[in-house]
Amino acid sequence: MTYYNKLVKSGLPSRRTVLKGLGAGVAAASTLAMPRYARAATAGKIKLGYLSPTTGPLALFGETDGYTLQKIRALLGGQLQCANGNTYEIEILDRDSQSNPNKASEIAGNLILNDEVHLLVPASTTDTILPAAEQSELYETPCISSGAPWQAVIMPRGGGKQTFDWTYHFFWGLDEALNTFVGLWNHLETNKKVGMLFPQNIDGETWGNDEYGLPAPTRKAGYEVVVPGYFQPRTNDFSAQISEFKKQGCDIIGGITYPDDLKTFVTQCNQQGFKPKAVTVAAALLFPGGVEAMGPLGNGMSSEVWWTPAFPFKSSLTGQVSSDIASQWEADSKRQWTQPLGYSHALLEVALDILKRSSNPLDRQANRDALVATDLQTLVGHIKFDGSPHKNICKTPIFGGQWVKGEKWPYDLKIVDNTVNQLFAPQQAIKPIAW
């Protein structure tokens, strides 16, 4: 049993317990949880639960969610016309996971049992998506998610052979990230020694896994890997890691960190005279604010790219292309576009499409069936669950990018590698970091 299984089992009554009605409190919970979504198809109120980290250390991943929800609410006007011929009220219940997996599990359970949502939509990070997916599977509630490598959502729940009835996810995978990282590094002259940084959390354990994470496939690609041990998130001292990387002569740093940790690491690298040719990490380099916080040291950092204004796909909701969405965000917020913006929009595209196509959007099983049958062109690409690479997964495009001095903004993210997806040519060549 996984940690999250234990968490949900201990944190809330099981569905079987609820149905048995053991005790007055549980009987009340069953009364709340069951009746409305099981009624016959009539026009009524659809409840969509949306969960993302809008506060806490991972808040940057959720910063575009509230903005996108506001735009979509305005577009819908509180109603949703569905393919079954009925028009329904629709209420989007957005909740803050506070960057905390325990809180995400608790809130997801409350949305399912007390708010009686008809579809759950966890977004942005593994710490939010994984516990919410556990609750959805336990309480038989359809769940569509995005924003974390698919292995981080599947592997901790039983691995690639385990399939799920209620929870589906679209995003790229660690294998694509690896090929993107290697594609970036192959353009540079290096000694092929890679020092890897992994935090002591679910993301670090997934990315650092020797079977399906970055180290083993990186070795297979001909690179030597140095992993000096996992670090505690929000640490203020990377001296041990830097010392080992220097000792081993690492020309490249790869892995996954969050913005504050990367700023500390890069600053200490510069102070201690360790100057690799490439620093390529997932997560931390997604955001312009995180790069700007490093000052001049942000120039030349490289990362995976989820989404950019260069993506050619149209929104199924608004007809806008990615450049339109990015420009609108910048005009409205007076801030530079960030990569989660495209996925904030696409996730709601898919969620609303599921409800529109459902034979009865007030019935969870009908919504699950519509989810399984998803076949939609979105702002981030085509979403269809065709069984590859897993029953519950649809893969989306990924590219390699590098942060360079910008014109309108302090730094711009440029596509420098399209090894994994050839949707468009690189915008420029990658360059070694100029420390």
Side-chain angles (χ1 to χ4, degrees):
M1 180 180 292
T2 69
Y3 165 77
Y4 288 111
N5 275 325
K6 293 176 182 177
L7 180 66
V8 296
K9 292 283 189 184
S10 61
L12 287 163
S14 71
R15 185 174 179 82
R16 185 175 292 108
T17 302
V18 170
L19 293 175
K20 284 182 178 179
L22 297 178
V26 176
S30 68
T31 302
L32 284 171
M34 295 188 59
R36 209 172 277 180
Y37 68 82
R39 292 175 185 168
T42 58
K45 180 185 284 188
I46 301 168
K47 292 185 178 181
L48 186 157
Y50 193 98
L51 181 61
S52 71
T54 56
T55 61
L58 305 182
L60 278 174
F61 288 87
E63 75 168 335
T64 62
D65 291 327
Y67 169 86
T68 304
L69 285 168
Q70 182 183 26
K71 292 290 185 183
I72 298 303
R73 285 187 177 112
L75 179 70
L76 295 175
Q79 292 189 331
L80 190 69
Q81 188 169 354
C82 297
N84 66 6
N86 289 325
T87 298
Y88 298 84
E89 290 182 67
I90 183 165
E91 182 180 10
I92 302 176
L93 306 173
D94 56 305
R95 301 288 187 265
D96 176 17
S97 69
Q98 302 174 28
S99 304
N100 185 319
N102 292 1
K103 197 68 178 177
S105 180
E106 176 189 341
I107 293 171
N110 285 334
L111 284 167
I112 292 167
L113 291 176
N114 296 328
D115 293 305
E116 305 176 46
V117 296
H118 303 103
L119 178 65
L120 190 65
V121 185
S124 303
T125 66
T126 308
D127 282 352
T128 293
I129 295 168
L130 184 54
E134 290 272 12
Q135 292 283 42
S136 294
E137 199 68 30
L138 180 66
Y139 289 105
E140 299 182 0
T141 301
C143 173
I144 181 67
S145 59
S146 189
W150 67 262
Q151 289 93 337
V153 179
I154 296 296
M155 296 304 181
R157 301 162 66 197
K161 294 182 180 179
Q162 176 69 46
T163 60
F164 307 98
D165 294 326
W166 296 89
T167 53
Y168 288 76
H169 183 80
F170 62 94
F171 208 63
W172 44 263
L174 288 178
D175 44 346
E176 285 89 4
L178 164 69
N179 290 331
T180 297
F181 282 23
V182 173
L184 288 165
W185 301 334
N186 282 343
H187 295 302
L188 297 170
E189 290 187 11
T190 70
N191 61 8
K192 290 201 166 187
K193 291 186 177 181
V194 183
M196 291 197 169
L197 279 176
F198 300 116
Q200 189 69 56
N201 60 21
I202 187 65
D203 283 328
E205 291 165 10
T206 300
W207 283 75
N209 186 281
D210 271 330
E211 293 183 14
Y212 54 80
L214 287 178
T218 301
R219 295 187 185 101
K220 187 177 179 180
Y223 290 81
E224 182 180 337
V225 172
V226 177
V227 184
Y230 290 17
F231 67 87
Q232 286 298 321
R234 310 190 82 175
T235 184
N236 60 7
D237 187 4
F238 284 94
S239 297
Q241 288 85 356
I242 293 170
S243 176
E244 186 65 17
F245 295 152
K246 290 173 70 175
K247 178 181 176 181
Q248 298 296 330
C250 297
D251 270 355
I252 301 166
I253 296 299
I256 182 170
T257 70
Y258 297 126
D260 289 346
D261 291 327
L262 184 63
K263 178 184 176 182
T264 302
F265 173 75
V266 171
T267 300
Q268 292 179 5
C269 284
N270 190 51
Q271 292 170 345
Q272 297 176 33
F274 176 54
K275 299 181 179 181
K277 295 181 178 180
V279 175
T280 309
V281 299
L285 292 170
L286 294 173
F287 309 104
V291 181
E292 291 169 22
M294 291 188 278
L297 296 177
N299 191 27
M301 298 287 126
S302 51
S303 178
E304 86 282 10
V305 178
W306 309 2
W307 173 85
T308 79
F311 270 42
F313 313 116
K314 287 185 178 182
S315 165
S316 61
L317 288 174
T318 68
Q320 295 170 297
V321 294
S322 291
S323 59
D324 298 327
I325 298 289
S327 295
Q328 187 177 46
W329 160 268
E330 291 184 346
D332 291 344
S333 69
K334 311 303 180 189
R335 288 180 288 166
Q336 191 172 358
W337 65 270
T338 70
Q339 294 184 56
L341 177 64
Y343 276 87
S344 295
H345 188 96
L347 187 53
L348 286 167
E349 284 186 76
V350 176
L352 293 173
D353 175 70
I354 290 166
L355 295 170
K356 287 177 182 177
R357 289 184 292 101
S358 176
S359 61
N360 179 6
L362 304 181
D363 181 80
R364 290 175 174 174
Q365 185 165 335
N367 293 342
R368 189 275 311 275
D369 294 344
L371 194 168
V372 173
T374 296
D375 187 356
L376 184 69
Q377 185 65 51
T378 74
L379 201 68
V380 301
H382 187 209
I383 307 303
K384 183 177 182 179
F385 299 101
D386 59 7
S388 177
H390 186 277
K391 171 192 168 185
N392 303 90
I393 297 298
C394 171
K395 294 198 296 185
T396 53
I398 183 175
F399 297 88
Q402 184 172 40
W403 289 96
V404 300
K405 290 290 186 181
E407 297 178 2
K408 181 179 178 181
W409 305 99
Y411 289 105
D412 284 334
L413 180 61
K414 299 294 185 181
I415 302 295
V416 295
D417 180 77
N418 66 348
T419 299
V420 175
N421 296 99
Q422 289 80 44
L423 288 174
F424 43 82
Q427 295 170 289
Q428 64 183 53
I430 189 173
K431 297 177 181 178
I433 297 172
W435 290 88

